[in-house]
Amino acid sequence: MAPFARLNALLALAAVSTTQVLAQSCPCGYKDSNGHVWREAIVSTFTQPAGALAALSPNWLVGTDLESQPSPATASIQYVTANVFQFNDALGLKASAYDNSGSVKSGEIFTARSDILYGSFRMQAQVPSVPGVVFGFFTYISDTQEQDIEFLSSDPDYYQHLYYTNQPGTVGGVVDTAAAKNVVVPGADFTTFGVHRFDWLPASTVYSYSGNTDSGTPISSTTTITKNVPTTPSEFVLNVWSNGDPGFSKGPPTADAIATIQYVHLYFNSTSFSAASFNSACSAAHNVAPCNV
Ligand SMILES: *[C@@H]1O[C@H](CO)[C@@H](O)[C@H](O)[C@H]1NC(C)=O
């Protein structure tokens, strides 16, 4: 091989190294509890000994955007790196106590890649309990290609109340109950660690929760939305924010409002790693069984 050809080969290898690392660990993909197989994974363990922030690299970026908000919001959202932090042996995302500066310091992480198309996405987390913020776990590429799990800490029953939405969640300014499901899970306590999940499939988004009641009884809940299922490759996002909107986030918070995340597991297909490439990688690995997830 000529020296420059070898260099090109090395550069090509470097460019696909993330995919290759994942492909090598489970070369025939990941089979979920519903029997769906996913080609790739981002498995982020924020409780790892090296620390939560070290688990962000290389898959996650930290938000730094300033997002001005239309009325009736009373403040802008300013994502800041300091609001993504090591917290209680896990990852903390917070919206800071409002300082009346005109913007609420908020916390966000999002995937470096925006080529995710269908998958099974889970986090083990505790919701914020200080009123006046939104905690979101969602795919996003535009305001009409987005599917969300959101928690509103101002709800009196915020510790068992879920907002599942395939955007847009309204039609003509009115909530579209086929696309936006407001779910209460009696007995649940989202301020203790539980698993929040959604499975993005071509014809539906299946949202679920699995945890324990405060007395230790397992509890779960599943909600399927078939309207407005996104069809566009997307990024994955987690955030905690407030804009003071009296109709939604409420607040801004008067104390720091923190979500605590122990892990995020994303199992997915993407437009960058084709079924054909996946099949070749799997057969090169002698068609081992997919990893069960
Ligand atoms: C994801 O990829 C696997 C393996 O290529 C394929 O069998 C499956 O149909 C894909 N899922 C979706 C929803 O496209």
Side-chain angles (χ1 to χ4, degrees):
M1 199 186 282
F4 74 88
R6 184 170 304 165
L7 179 62
N8 279 347
L10 282 172
L11 289 174
L13 189 63
V16 297
S17 63
T18 306
T19 301
Q20 294 218 330
V21 166
L22 294 170
Q24 280 161 8
S25 53
C26 292
C28 295
Y30 305 83
K31 187 185 247 181
D32 72 24
S33 48
N34 300 315
H36 296 120
V37 173
W38 306 108
R39 300 195 285 259
E40 295 172 78
I42 293 175
V43 174
S44 302
T45 307
F46 298 118
T47 53
Q48 66 172 6
L53 294 180
L56 292 174
S57 175
N59 295 303
W60 298 94
L61 302 176
V62 174
T64 56
D65 285 354
L66 172 64
E67 299 183 358
S68 62
Q69 302 288 298
S71 177
T74 60
S76 303
I77 300 167
Q78 175 70 68
Y79 289 108
V80 295
T81 53
N83 284 21
V84 177
F85 61 111
Q86 175 76 42
F87 182 65
N88 288 348
D89 191 31
L91 183 73
L93 292 182
K94 76 177 172 190
S96 301
Y98 190 44
D99 58 7
N100 290 301
S101 64
S103 62
V104 182
K105 292 188 183 67
S106 299
E108 176 174 85
I109 60 170
F110 58 98
T111 52
R113 50 196 297 175
S114 53
D115 59 355
I116 296 170
L117 183 61
Y118 307 121
S120 180
F121 313 108
R122 306 105 186 247
M123 69 167 171
Q124 181 154 285
Q126 290 178 338
V127 303
S129 50
V130 169
V133 302
V134 179
F135 173 29
F137 179 79
F138 57 108
T139 64
Y140 180 83
I141 202 66
S142 74
D143 290 349
T144 56
Q145 291 284 301
E146 172 178 355
Q147 54 209 329
D148 302 326
I149 300 178
E150 288 170 308
F151 307 88
L152 305 188
S153 66
S154 276
D155 282 348
D157 59 352
Y158 71 94
Y159 54 86
Q160 48 186 226
H161 200 145
L162 295 152
Y163 293 82
Y164 293 141
T165 310
N166 286 0
Q167 300 285 354
T170 56
V171 173
V174 177
V175 173
D176 178 356
T177 55
K181 305 270 186 195
N182 205 326
V183 174
V184 176
V185 186
D189 183 356
F190 302 156
T191 69
T192 63
F193 286 106
V195 177
H196 294 277
R197 166 174 171 174
F198 63 95
D199 289 25
W200 176 18
L201 303 169
S204 62
T205 309
V206 181
Y207 293 93
S208 66
Y209 164 73
S210 172
N212 291 296
T213 65
D214 288 339
S215 57
T217 307
I219 187 167
S220 62
S221 163
T222 300
T223 301
T224 300
I225 298 180
T226 56
K227 191 165 183 185
N228 299 348
V229 178
T231 55
T232 309
S234 297
E235 59 187 28
F236 204 93
V237 188
L238 285 82
N239 58 21
V240 175
W241 56 273
S242 180
N243 62 6
D245 178 348
F248 196 62
S249 74
K250 304 195 175 162
T254 56
D256 289 356
I258 303 170
T260 313
I261 300 134
Q262 291 185 323
Y263 70 67
V264 175
H265 295 172
L266 310 179
Y267 304 101
F268 57 91
N269 292 352
S270 80
T271 49
S272 308
F273 187 41
S274 68
S277 303
F278 169 75
N279 289 342
S280 314
C282 175
S283 81
H286 311 292
N287 296 302
V288 296
C291 301
N292 288 310
V293 297

